[in-house]
Amino acid sequence: MTCENFLVNLQVNKVSAVDSLYLISDFSYEELDTVMKHLNYSSSPGIDAISNSFIKSSYPFIKNLMLRTFNDNMNFVDNFPQEYKISYIKI
């Protein structure tokens, strides 16, 4: 099968109108709390050198700032900082 044939016959599920609203809506405190609850303490810091243990321990003090920063950044996708697009693979 050629790539062209594969793509022509590819069946892709579409996002429903209701689900698409969730994709464009701001993050909520509940979503942020869930992420923080499942944050792995033993993960290596990212390019910013901030460890997950530091983020978790300071979370009560920076929760509002984090949520506002995430939502502001997602609302300006065209200006999304290049640094946020960089990641390291842990082997």
Side-chain angles (χ1 to χ4, degrees):
M1 176 183 293
T2 66
C3 182
E4 290 82 16
N5 289 340
F6 173 77
L7 293 175
V8 167
N9 297 317
L10 184 63
Q11 298 293 319
V12 179
N13 294 330
K14 293 185 179 181
V15 176
S16 72
V18 172
D19 288 340
S20 69
L21 293 175
Y22 288 110
L23 294 173
I24 62 171
S25 63
D26 284 348
F27 294 111
S28 68
Y29 282 110
E30 293 78 20
E31 290 171 312
L32 187 57
D33 289 342
T34 299
V35 169
M36 295 306 295
K37 186 179 359 176
H38 294 96
L39 201 60
N40 185 350
Y41 272 110
S42 63
S43 290
S44 299
I47 196 165
D48 58 9
I50 300 173
S51 68
N52 284 349
S53 59
F54 175 78
I55 294 171
K56 269 191 145 174
S57 63
S58 60
Y59 180 63
F61 309 103
I62 63 172
K63 180 178 183 174
N64 294 331
L65 176 63
M66 284 179 71
L67 187 65
R68 190 174 73 235
T69 301
F70 292 148
N71 286 326
D72 286 350
N73 281 321
M74 295 311 289
N75 290 325
F76 296 105
V77 174
D78 293 336
N79 298 319
F80 204 68
Q82 186 64 32
E83 293 80 12
Y84 290 10
K85 300 176 186 177
I86 298 172
S87 62
Y88 293 111
I89 298 174
K90 182 178 176 181
I91 299 177

